């Protein structure tokens, strides 16, 4: 819907493709101009309420152990569905 530049950031305003998307009017993505990092997201709802999320301690290229992506599945069981 709109693209604004304000100081060190760009703001991109978008809206859901369908009007029945759970009451969302617009999404605004705030992006750092120099590094193109997401700084925050604002969600404006049709009822007038809003949600603002700011990312203040972003770390890039942080080392993560492989075990982080192999969680324990103990206690879970496989479910099969009949047709």
């Amino acid at each position: 819907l709109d693209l604004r530049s304000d100081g060190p950031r760009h703001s991109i305003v978008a809206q859901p493709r369908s009007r029945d998307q759970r009451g969302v009017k617009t999404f605004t993505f705030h992006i750092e101009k120099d590094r193109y990092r997401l700084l925050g997201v604002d969600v404006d709802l049709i009822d007038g309420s809003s949600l603002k999320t700011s990312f203040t301690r972003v770390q890039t290229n942080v080392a993560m152990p492989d075990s982080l992506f192999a969680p324990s599945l103990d206690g879970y069981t496989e479910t099969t569905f009949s047709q």
Side-chain angles (χ1 to χ4, degrees), residues 19-36:
R19 289 198 170 265
D20 63 342
Q21 294 299 313
R22 301 181 190 263
V24 175
K25 182 177 176 183
T26 60
F27 296 98
T28 304
F29 302 92
H30 302 286
I31 301 168
E32 184 180 26
K33 279 184 182 177
D34 295 338
R35 297 184 183 149
Y36 297 101

Side-chain angles (χ1 to χ4, degrees), residues 14 22 34 54 60 68 81:
R22 301 181 190 263
D34 295 338
S54 297
T60 57
L68 183 64
F81 297 95

Side-chain angles (χ1 to χ4, degrees), residues 2-82:
D2 193 18
L3 172 62
R4 297 180 223 136
S5 290
D6 179 27
R9 69 181 180 181
H10 295 296
S11 296
I12 300 168
V13 181
Q15 70 183 59
R17 292 179 70 174
S18 173
R19 289 198 170 265
D20 63 342
Q21 294 299 313
R22 301 181 190 263
V24 175
K25 182 177 176 183
T26 60
F27 296 98
T28 304
F29 302 92
H30 302 286
I31 301 168
E32 184 180 26
K33 279 184 182 177
D34 295 338
R35 297 184 183 149
Y36 297 101
R37 286 193 291 197
L38 184 63
L39 300 173
V41 179
D42 299 345
V43 181
D44 293 316
L45 303 176
I46 292 171
D47 69 1
S49 60
S50 63
L51 171 70
K52 298 187 182 301
T53 303
S54 297
F55 306 111
T56 57
R57 292 199 268 173
V58 175
Q59 297 179 7
T60 57
N61 298 320
V62 175
M64 293 186 281
D66 290 340
S67 61
L68 183 64
F69 301 97
S72 170
L73 300 179
D74 292 343
Y76 291 93
T77 57
E78 181 179 355
T79 301
T80 55
F81 297 95
S82 60

